[in-house]
Amino acid sequence: MVLRGFLLLQAISSILCENGYFNGMYFGAASALYIGMDHFKVPCYKYECCTVGTGRVHWIHNDVTKLETLLEKKLFGQHIATKILHHQLGAFLLEPKPEKPFVVHISGKTGTGKNHISNLIAQARYAEGVESKYILKIIGTHKYGSLDHDTATKLMKKEVAEHVSKCKHALVIIDEAEKLPEGTLNAISPYLDKNVAIDGVDYRNTIFVFLSNTAGNAIRNYTETQLEAGRQRENIAVLEMENLIQEHLYNSGELKHSSLISRYQLDAFIPMLPLEKRHVQQCAEEQLKQRRNKCGCGDDPSCISTRANEIANQIDYSGRFSRSGCKKILTKANLVCPLDRKSEL
């Protein structure tokens, strides 16, 4: 593409030169400008760049409409998470010059959808979705679990700073945060404030997501108590769960006596409520719809619902809640609906 444009420019310039309209000096300058511009644009047509917008060379979309659609169609039983992400994260994505990064703590038991939410955020923000190179995922049990406090703190600061320096529209996910050495998250506290830049790195467009099991039992027990008292699940409010989680985190776990809480640096505390059988069935239906053969159901919603119910019945429950949330749906789906290799490949 560059060579073709260069030759075309050269041919036109030759004609102009022959007629006295264009000399070699102007040709050289024009050629250099053309090639320089093209080298700037061409890589972003093919390779992911830190460019915001909706055009061909833009890889960061911050698509709020897509976020809303994903939350509505792919997140089940989590009305509080949906509301917070819809309003708070949505507003952040629409703001071209936010005052500070968006920082959210997501807490809940295994299988309730913590990692699933981080994936949905990635799909709404990046053209490459979860494969974007601008996502940094730190796992508390990987590298950090065996480190002392000082070493973990230095590593955390280094990893986050190096990653965001490549693109300020980064997504930093810290999974199993409760497994980090106590106080490690305080190391990135300066990055979460209203600072223009720290050592030349601007964090204000970055999204920080902390995933944890710390308050999982408290969330489950509170939800169960409310439902047993006759309260509707959907009537459990954002504020009451936020207070519950915040108090629990400040007294134990990864945010024990943390400056992130005392300095109000977290924008949201999302509780992942325990999932009931109806939610597990919704997860199963979504899994079946993604399969080419759809478990032999085609587009028949009644058939898909029946098969999904069979899958949900394979899950282990403790009272009204699934012990593993939706985590075992894929393996149970393979049991109820064995893969047809011809149709799946």
Side-chain angles (χ1 to χ4, degrees):
M1 181 178 178
V2 175
L3 178 61
R4 189 162 56 243
F6 178 83
L7 294 175
L8 177 61
L9 179 61
Q10 187 179 42
I12 295 173
S13 301
S14 298
I15 296 172
L16 292 174
C17 286
E18 288 175 3
N19 290 277
Y21 295 112
F22 207 45
N23 63 36
M25 180 180 71
Y26 291 129
F27 168 71
S31 299
L33 178 62
Y34 176 84
I35 293 174
M37 290 177 65
D38 216 51
H39 271 298
F40 175 76
K41 291 180 180 178
V42 167
C44 292
Y45 275 99
K46 187 174 182 180
Y47 303 107
E48 187 179 22
C49 295
C50 185
T51 48
V52 182
T54 56
R56 286 182 62 190
V57 296
H58 297 114
W59 295 82
I60 298 170
H61 295 166
N62 290 334
D63 192 336
V64 175
T65 300
K66 184 174 183 179
L67 176 65
E68 294 172 357
T69 301
L70 289 171
L71 291 172
E72 179 185 346
K73 294 186 177 182
K74 295 183 179 293
L75 184 64
F76 309 112
Q78 305 297 349
H79 68 284
I80 294 178
T82 298
K83 184 175 183 177
I84 290 174
L85 294 171
H86 179 189
H87 293 289
Q88 292 183 247
L89 178 57
F92 175 83
L93 294 177
L94 289 172
E95 176 55 59
K97 295 182 179 180
E99 291 186 344
K100 67 179 291 294
F102 184 76
V103 188
V104 58
H105 186 284
I106 305 176
S107 189
K109 301 284 283 184
T110 298
T112 50
K114 298 187 297 294
N115 275 289
H116 183 51
I117 283 182
S118 63
N119 290 340
L120 297 182
I121 293 173
Q123 290 174 45
R125 179 160 232 202
Y126 303 112
E128 292 288 274
V130 296
E131 301 299 324
S132 173
K133 65 183 180 182
Y134 300 123
I135 300 173
L136 170 65
K137 187 162 188 177
I138 295 172
I139 301 176
T141 53
H142 178 63
K143 293 192 292 187
Y144 287 85
S146 60
L147 300 179
D148 60 71
H149 173 268
D150 290 343
T151 305
T153 296
K154 291 177 182 177
L155 179 59
M156 177 74 71
K157 290 179 69 175
K158 181 176 181 291
E159 279 199 284
V160 173
E162 287 182 352
H163 184 77
V164 180
S165 69
K166 298 172 185 176
C167 179
K168 66 181 181 180
H169 300 276
L171 171 59
V172 178
I173 303 166
I174 301 180
D175 193 8
E176 296 186 340
E178 75 278 7
K179 304 291 178 59
L180 293 167
E182 186 175 321
T184 301
L185 291 177
N186 288 334
I188 60 173
S189 177
Y191 305 162
L192 311 182
D193 246 327
K194 297 181 180 181
N195 296 312
V196 175
I198 298 175
D199 296 327
V201 181
D202 187 350
Y203 297 88
R204 291 174 296 176
N205 289 90
T206 301
I207 298 172
F208 288 86
V209 179
F210 304 141
L211 307 178
S212 168
N213 290 320
T214 298
N217 286 330
I219 293 168
R220 186 191 188 284
N221 294 338
Y222 184 83
T223 303
E224 186 171 37
T225 299
Q226 297 304 306
L227 297 185
E228 287 179 349
R231 193 174 181 191
Q232 292 295 312
R233 179 190 185 96
E234 289 71 23
N235 290 335
I236 298 176
V238 173
L239 187 58
E240 63 185 293
M241 294 304 294
E242 180 177 299
N243 291 336
L244 174 74
I245 296 171
Q246 193 166 330
E247 181 180 353
H248 196 83
L249 290 174
Y250 192 67
N251 291 315
S252 64
E254 67 276 9
L255 294 176
K256 184 178 181 180
H257 305 305
S258 172
S259 60
L260 275 67
I261 292 181
S262 60
R263 296 175 64 179
Y264 303 101
Q265 293 179 318
L266 284 104
D267 299 292
F269 296 87
I270 293 181
M272 300 304 290
L273 306 184
L275 300 180
E276 301 170 53
K277 182 183 175 182
R278 58 190 170 112
H279 306 122
V280 175
Q281 181 167 339
Q282 287 177 303
C283 292
E285 288 180 5
E286 181 61 27
Q287 172 62 224
L288 294 181
K289 290 175 183 176
Q290 292 175 17
R291 298 188 171 210
R292 287 189 181 181
N293 70 347
K294 299 182 180 177
C295 203
C297 290
D299 295 320
D300 183 354
S302 177
C303 176
I304 291 176
S305 178
T306 299
R307 291 293 193 184
N309 184 60
E310 292 178 39
I311 294 170
N313 286 333
Q314 299 290 324
I315 302 297
D316 187 23
Y317 295 87
S318 174
R320 70 173 77 223
F321 301 130
S322 166
R323 291 183 184 273
S324 57
C326 285
K327 196 163 189 175
K328 293 185 177 180
I329 287 298
L330 179 59
T331 55
K332 297 302 182 181
N334 290 336
L335 181 65
V336 174
C337 302
L339 291 176
D340 179 351
R341 296 185 61 84
K342 292 182 180 179
S343 63
E344 294 291 334
L345 297 178

